[in-house]
Amino acid sequence: ELGTLGFECTLEEVDLEDITKNQINTIKACTSEDPETGNCPALERSTFDMSKCLEGIYKDLNIYRAELNNLNDQKVLATIDEMMKVLRTSSWSTPQLSAGTGLTSFQEKMRLCSILHAFQIRTVTINRMMNYLNSPESSL
């Protein structure tokens, strides 16, 4: 949004950064890690762990929440907080965040633009996974 970053943030202008790649996340927790699945990880009922999947979704949201804190967009942060509240269990920790310090350099704003687009794509994955878990056909 022009008002948030000071410029139009389009997907074509940034290289996406997966800030969750070295941690448990939705994709790792909700799909098979079988190397035979190639580029398209499979959801195997026999090895599916719903608790691990929900934890992966929660941790994704937590990581993005921390990164987007500097955006100072209360609507975005409140939405992520609500999603996390639904998923929260006593065994998952939530770090307490200080108020965002704001963005000062253009480079920081471009990185945030990249993270926003990566988060938008990840929310599609999370939404699809949640729809699958809530569908009667999943029988997990």
Side-chain angles (χ1 to χ4, degrees), residues 26-32 42-55 57 129-130 132-134 138-140:
T26 303
I27 297 167
K28 289 178 186 174
C30 299
T31 59
S32 170
L43 181 61
E44 299 292 335
R45 293 181 196 282
S46 61
T47 60
F48 184 77
D49 183 341
M50 186 186 297
S51 177
K52 181 180 173 187
C53 180
L54 293 173
E55 181 181 2
I57 292 170
M129 194 65 232
M130 295 303 291
Y132 175 77
L133 293 174
N134 287 321
S138 70
S139 303
L140 296 174

Side-chain angles (χ1 to χ4, degrees), residues 85-98:
K85 188 178 356 175
V86 170
L87 293 167
R88 186 172 293 133
T89 69
S90 59
S91 62
W92 304 334
S93 63
T94 304
Q96 296 300 316
L97 300 173
S98 58

Side-chain angles (χ1 to χ4, degrees), residues 103-122:
L103 303 169
T104 55
S105 75
F106 181 73
Q107 191 170 23
E108 287 174 336
K109 291 178 182 182
M110 285 300 291
R111 181 173 183 273
L112 183 59
C113 176
S114 170
I115 290 171
L116 282 166
H117 282 291
F119 182 57
Q120 181 181 19
I121 293 167
R122 184 58 54 90

